[in-house]
Amino acid sequence: MYHEGKTMREIAHSAHMSFTDIKKIIQKIDGLKDENENVDMKNKSKTTQAIYLFSIGKTPIQVAIELDISTNEVHEIQE
């Protein structure tokens, strides 16, 4: 489903699994870095940083706090 372009939300709903479990599976498939590895994001845009934080399982509140952006901005990026 991931390679068909389905979102993590759609996959999680269809598979009756959590976002965290779906993310871990996708990371294994794509060979992405483990979330414990350092990724230099400080020179990236706030949007890119937010997307990265979501990809490693951060909640919208955690993203807003870490990037010092409004919850409205976080929700726009998340959608």
Side-chain angles (χ1 to χ4, degrees):
M1 290 178 4
Y2 172 68
H3 290 295
E4 295 172 3
K6 303 283 185 185
T7 65
M8 280 208 302
R9 182 179 301 278
E10 292 169 323
I11 296 169
H13 179 73
S14 295
H16 303 285
M17 295 176 71
S18 71
F19 290 118
T20 303
D21 292 336
I22 299 297
K23 176 191 62 108
K24 287 177 184 176
I25 292 168
I26 290 172
Q27 285 179 334
K28 284 181 184 177
I29 291 170
D30 285 348
L32 296 177
K33 290 187 173 190
D34 184 59
E35 65 185 78
N36 295 325
E37 291 184 37
N38 291 329
V39 176
D40 185 19
M41 284 284 162
K42 60 185 168 187
N43 294 326
K44 304 292 184 188
S45 71
K46 295 285 186 180
T47 300
T48 300
Q49 291 178 47
I51 292 169
Y52 172 73
L53 291 171
F54 284 127
S55 77
I56 62 169
K58 299 287 184 176
T59 65
I61 297 293
Q62 291 171 320
V63 172
I65 292 169
E66 189 161 333
L67 299 179
D68 192 28
I69 58 177
S70 73
T71 55
N72 289 337
E73 289 177 89
V74 171
H75 288 295
E76 287 177 22
I77 294 168
Q78 189 177 31
E79 289 178 4

